[in-house]
Amino acid sequence: MARGELMKKLLASYGRDEEFRAVAEQIITEEEQKNNKVLARSLRKTLDNSARSATPKALAPLIPFPDAANDFIERIEPEHTKNDIVLTNTNLRIFAGLIREFRRAEDIRRHGLPVRSKLLFCGPPGCGKTLCAEVFSRELGLPLFIVKLDRLISSYLGETATNIRKIFEFARKQPCVLFFDEFDALARSRDDVNEHSELRRVVNSILIFIDRIRPKGFLVAATNLDHSLDPAIWRRFDEIIWFGKPDRLMVEKYLRVKFKNVEVAFDPVAQAVLLEGFSYAEIERVCLSAIKTAVLERRRQVREADFRLAVRDEIRRRSGSARLSPML
């Protein structure tokens, strides 16, 4: 391919990592064929270094907050990275696919295919749904906005559907991850006899809005009460992702993450057996409590006794009982 055409193709692929790298590889190969080996090596080294050091960046500037949506949306700066979360192999595969689709969206649409952009996270509390939304937005390089449901629903019931429309309109214009936590508060089953008729109309509005929206980023809804959702909600989402409590191997991996920069006098991974049935939020509390005990006692190392005491406290907290396992 002529050099000019290659350079045009390179510039056109900017922002789509895989295409950009493929064209860059073509240019490097061409230089190698011309026996410009020093230049080819230099280009390849630069390309490899940029791939390793690349950090996610916002793909579009933030539009000014419209007054209409400002009361109901809050921007959150992601603090966690993919190294702070442990996911099942299935969920890792799904998220990798979603990120790849997003980056190759134009190619997919050119073939007349839809890009998945509406996600439903389901699972018990403390199992990583909110954290995953944060890490997902960081990996995509998109800003994260949290919907403030208390403000949304506490307004006059007759205005709730109008307020939801404002939020969806914002997501249509702004490339972002728009996160609805406790989504069941908005999309509760219309068959529930205890629900107010106005809330049924809100569900009808939600169904219409989700159907029609083609977000520039992602719409993510999360619920701990998947059984409470209206049956018609499920098919409106492009992907449903299930979060559960971690198994032994996932607990061990999580403990390695939490204690990787902490000096310890015991093997945290060996304590995984004590955390069977715990959620990630509970395990994190145990780890932080054990570390704080060492800090408060002015010790450099966290001891096994600190960890086991933290486990005892977590069991007491979750069960309201003083009776503890003899293992502790």
Side-chain angles (χ1 to χ4, degrees):
M1 186 181 290
R3 170 57 61 90
E5 288 301 313
L6 272 177
M7 295 305 295
K8 284 167 60 179
K9 194 173 178 181
L10 183 71
L11 292 174
S13 65
Y14 181 74
R16 300 192 296 275
D17 292 351
E18 292 187 15
E19 287 184 43
F20 186 87
R21 185 176 182 85
V23 178
E25 290 281 2
Q26 283 183 266
I27 293 174
I28 293 169
T29 300
E30 188 178 279
E31 294 300 329
E32 288 173 338
Q33 291 170 347
K34 292 178 180 178
N35 210 31
N36 295 333
K37 294 183 179 178
V38 174
L39 176 59
R41 280 198 300 270
S42 177
L43 290 173
R44 191 174 298 283
K45 184 177 180 180
T46 301
L47 183 63
D48 290 342
N49 287 341
S50 65
R52 283 194 292 269
S53 62
T55 55
K57 296 179 181 178
L59 301 181
L62 290 177
I63 64 173
F65 248 129
D67 292 338
N70 195 26
D71 289 338
F72 313 116
I73 306 176
E74 178 183 5
R75 187 180 179 192
I76 301 295
E77 290 293 339
E79 297 179 355
H80 296 88
T81 70
K82 61 184 179 182
N83 297 322
D84 297 321
I85 192 169
V86 177
L87 297 172
T88 63
N89 289 335
T90 296
N91 284 353
L92 282 172
R93 175 179 57 79
I94 292 171
F95 283 114
L98 289 166
I99 291 170
R100 190 177 184 194
E101 274 191 36
F102 177 75
R103 291 174 178 168
R104 300 283 300 276
E106 291 182 20
D107 290 342
I108 293 172
R109 292 191 182 103
R110 274 200 296 268
H111 286 80
L113 300 170
V115 176
R116 290 176 294 174
S117 59
K118 293 175 278 192
L119 315 177
L120 178 61
F121 291 0
C122 299
C127 288
K129 298 186 295 296
T130 303
L131 175 60
C132 191
E134 180 183 331
V135 173
F136 187 53
S137 74
R138 186 186 182 100
E139 288 298 302
L140 290 165
L142 292 176
L144 173 65
F145 290 94
I146 304 289
V147 176
K148 296 185 281 190
L149 287 182
D150 56 336
R151 301 287 293 274
L152 197 67
I153 300 174
S154 66
S155 56
Y156 293 109
L157 279 176
E159 297 180 0
T160 301
T162 302
N163 296 338
I164 294 171
R165 180 189 296 276
K166 295 171 185 176
I167 291 172
F168 276 81
E169 182 64 17
F170 175 79
R172 187 181 66 81
K173 295 177 181 178
Q174 171 67 60
C176 67
V177 174
L178 181 64
F179 184 63
F180 285 81
D181 201 3
E182 299 182 357
F183 186 62
D184 46 275
L186 282 177
R188 192 173 294 275
S189 174
R190 288 166 292 179
D191 294 333
D192 189 338
V193 296
N194 296 317
E195 288 299 348
H196 192 281
S197 59
E198 178 60 31
L199 289 178
R200 292 194 184 95
R201 284 193 285 273
V202 168
V203 176
N204 291 335
S205 298
I206 283 281
L207 293 172
I208 293 170
F209 294 148
I210 295 177
D211 252 347
R212 291 179 178 174
I213 192 172
R214 296 293 179 266
K216 290 184 176 293
F218 286 85
L219 168 68
V220 180
T223 179
N224 304 328
L225 303 172
D226 52 273
H227 58 279
S228 297
L229 293 179
D230 191 273
I233 283 289
W234 296 86
R235 65 181 178 83
R236 261 72 180 186
F237 287 94
D238 303 320
E239 190 64 72
I240 296 170
I241 302 172
W242 295 90
F243 294 77
K245 292 184 178 180
D247 60 22
R248 175 76 69 83
L249 291 177
M250 294 173 72
V251 171
E252 290 176 357
K253 187 175 181 180
Y254 192 72
L255 289 173
R256 290 189 188 97
V257 169
K258 300 310 292 185
F259 285 98
K260 66 180 178 181
N261 296 319
V262 178
E263 196 170 333
V264 293
F266 70 110
D267 180 9
V269 174
Q271 309 300 313
V273 65
L274 302 178
L275 302 172
E276 184 176 350
F278 280 47
S279 69
Y280 284 118
E282 291 168 332
I283 297 171
E284 180 177 39
R285 244 188 330 262
V286 167
C287 296
L288 294 179
S289 177
I291 295 167
K292 280 193 284 187
T293 297
V295 170
L296 292 172
E297 295 184 2
R298 301 184 183 278
R299 285 188 275 108
R300 294 182 61 184
Q301 291 186 322
V302 180
R303 299 171 182 168
E304 183 175 336
D306 302 330
F307 188 88
R308 287 179 170 255
L309 178 61
V311 174
R312 289 168 63 94
D313 280 341
E314 189 59 36
I315 293 174
R316 172 191 52 77
R317 171 193 173 104
R318 64 169 12 191
S319 67
S321 171
R323 292 177 295 177
L324 300 173
S325 166
M327 295 177 64
L328 299 168

